[in-house]
């Protein structure tokens, strides 16, 4: 089969590789759609922290936002999975440790992450091997575009839930990228007043089309009481800024990661009685995100600007916007021949 491979910083190829065979407890998925994430960009640039920490190495087959159809079953897998449209959890815990037993497999110390950590091959390929235990079935009302947005959606939903907003509360989201805008959609669906802070006029204009109550640059941001702040950026200065902005007694949710360390003054947290929450992974939010897509409560599809082939992906990672792309922040790949 064909698979997209990052061979080193700034170097990629589409290669003919051996097609996966399902081990016990695994299935093979024929990938229909896969998303390109900021983590994939970090592997392309060489900035991904796992490369320095020894959790990942080149060459790496990336891709962790995906959907497709189960085409083969390994020993021990329920036959009802065959032929089903699915997406799946990125985080694959060991299943034996204390964290996995407590339902926190996404922070298992021995976990694999599909297309990211531990050498588990990713979904930017024609086929993907994944444990059946990680699968989530897609309802008929969730098409390929929405299905491949389940993983970022689960992340964004967890961020919104962690902000613990009452109906009518005012939420500020830092960063109008995919996660930030999905968080805006989930928060709007829950009755929050949602504002977005960003950098470029085009991204802020697009955010306004999604129904947010305000979209601002840092210089324009009004002095309003923000009941919650979600930092969905990679800017090292904004974690501290989020604490400055949030109301005393409010909540700050961190889901973005900077390439260099950010500094937060814990005195500001204590003296404002702020609760700060970190979010890693979509795991606990996947099922609810899929459900909200299926019911039409949240529609992620306007965020997808274009769908390209595997052969065009290298140029996308290098910063080329596909011809005819819409205004959204997300690029999808259809890896099928």
């Amino acid at each position: 089969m064909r698979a997209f491979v990052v061979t080193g910083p700034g170097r990629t190829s589409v290669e003919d590789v051996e097609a996966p065979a399902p081990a016990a407890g695994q299935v093979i998925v024929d990938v229909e759609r896969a998303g390109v994430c900021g983590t994939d960009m970090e592997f392309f640039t060489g900035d991904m922290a796992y490369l320095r920490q020894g959790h990942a190495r080149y060459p790496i087959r990336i891709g962790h936002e995906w959907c497709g159809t189960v085409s083969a079953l390994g020993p021990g897998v329920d036959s009802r999975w065959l032929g089903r449209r699915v997406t799946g959890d990125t985080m694959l815990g060991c299943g034996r440790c204390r964290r996995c037993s407590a339902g926190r497999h996404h922070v298992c110390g021995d976990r694999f992450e599909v297309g990211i950590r531990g050498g588990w091959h990713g979904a930017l390929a024609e086929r993907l091997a994944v444990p059946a235990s990680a699968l989530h079935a897609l309802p008929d009302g969730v098409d390929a575009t929405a299905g491949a947005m389940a993983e970022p959606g689960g992340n964004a939903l967890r961020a919104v839930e962690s902000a613990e907003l009452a109906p009518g509360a005012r939420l500020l989201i830092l960063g109008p990228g995919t996660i930030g805008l999905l968080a805006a959609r989930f928060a709007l669906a829950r009755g929050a007043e949602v504002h977005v802070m960003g950098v470029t006029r085009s991204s802020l204009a697009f955010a306004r089309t999604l129904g947010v109550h305000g979209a601002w640059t840092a210089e324009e941001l009004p002095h309003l009481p923000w009941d919650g702040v979600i930092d969905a950026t990679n800017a090292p200065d904004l974690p501290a800024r989020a604490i400055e902005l949030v109301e005393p007694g409010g909540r700050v949710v961190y889901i973005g990661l900077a390439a260099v360390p950010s500094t937060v003054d814990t005195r500001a947290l204590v003296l404002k009685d702020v609760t700060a929450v970190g979010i890693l992974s979509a795991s606990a939010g996947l099922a609810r995100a899929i459900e909200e897509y299926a019911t039409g409560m949240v529609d992620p599809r306007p965020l997808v600007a274009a769908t390209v082939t595997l052969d065009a992906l290298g140029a996308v990672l290098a910063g080329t916007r596909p011809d005819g792309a819409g205004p959204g922040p997300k690029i999808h790949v259809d890896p099928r021949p």
Side-chain angles (χ1 to χ4, degrees):
M1 69 171 188
R2 300 176 80 234
F4 187 84
V5 185
V6 182
T7 56
R11 302 194 304 273
T12 66
S13 61
V14 178
E15 300 180 7
D16 288 319
V17 301
E18 184 176 356
Q26 294 182 3
V27 305
I28 300 302
V29 175
D30 291 346
V31 180
E32 183 177 359
R33 196 68 51 82
V36 182
C37 174
T39 302
D40 301 320
M41 297 292 295
E42 290 178 350
F43 277 119
F44 177 76
T45 61
D47 293 330
M48 176 56 183
Y50 284 174
L51 292 167
R52 297 187 297 275
Q53 296 166 355
H55 297 309
R57 63 182 181 180
Y58 297 117
I60 184 168
R61 284 160 50 181
I62 58 175
H64 60 278
E65 304 174 0
W66 58 271
C67 69
T69 300
V70 176
S71 59
L73 309 177
V77 177
D78 189 326
S79 61
R80 289 174 294 184
W81 280 116
L82 190 64
R84 296 195 74 176
R85 296 180 59 250
V86 295
T87 186
D89 199 341
T90 298
M91 305 304 217
L92 310 179
C94 72
R96 302 178 301 275
C97 70
R98 184 171 181 267
R99 296 173 191 172
C100 287
S101 297
R104 298 194 300 272
H105 67 277
H106 64 294
V107 289
C108 169
D110 292 326
R111 70 186 180 274
F112 292 97
E113 298 179 25
V114 175
I116 298 174
R117 175 180 163 132
W120 196 287
H121 295 318
L124 285 163
E126 292 177 11
R127 297 180 191 87
L128 171 70
V130 66
S133 59
L135 295 177
H136 289 259
L138 293 178
D140 291 340
V142 178
D143 65 10
T145 301
M149 293 290 277
E151 198 277 342
N155 275 283
L157 177 57
R158 288 190 64 212
V160 170
E161 291 177 341
S162 295
E164 293 189 357
L165 301 167
R170 184 179 290 120
L171 173 67
L172 176 63
I173 298 172
L174 309 180
T178 298
I179 298 296
L181 293 178
L182 283 171
R185 304 221 92 178
F186 284 112
L188 287 167
R190 284 158 174 73
E193 178 185 327
V194 180
H195 297 250
V196 175
M197 190 181 90
V199 175
T200 68
R201 295 291 179 187
S202 58
S203 66
L204 294 173
F206 179 66
R208 293 187 190 98
T209 70
L210 301 178
V212 300
H213 296 83
W216 318 91
T217 65
E219 295 74 23
E220 297 167 340
L221 187 69
H223 295 286
L224 295 172
W226 308 107
D227 300 302
V229 178
I230 295 175
D231 177 13
T233 75
N234 60 2
D237 60 312
L238 287 184
R241 179 70 174 140
I243 296 170
E244 294 174 5
L245 289 166
V246 74
E247 276 286 278
R251 296 175 74 88
V252 173
V253 181
Y254 295 112
I255 194 167
L257 288 171
V260 297
S262 344
T263 301
V264 170
D265 187 344
T266 57
R267 293 172 298 181
L269 280 173
V270 172
L271 294 174
K272 293 183 70 173
D273 198 21
V274 168
T275 300
V277 182
I279 296 296
L280 175 71
S281 97
S283 300
L286 274 170
R288 294 191 303 283
I290 293 167
E291 181 180 0
E292 294 194 22
Y293 291 173
T295 62
M297 186 174 177
V298 170
D299 185 358
R301 294 173 296 179
L303 276 66
V304 179
T307 300
V308 302
T309 65
L310 284 176
D311 295 300
L313 179 53
V316 170
L317 292 174
T320 300
R321 190 81 171 168
D323 291 340
K330 176 62 70 175
I331 303 297
H332 275 178
V333 176
D334 184 342
R336 294 173 295 183

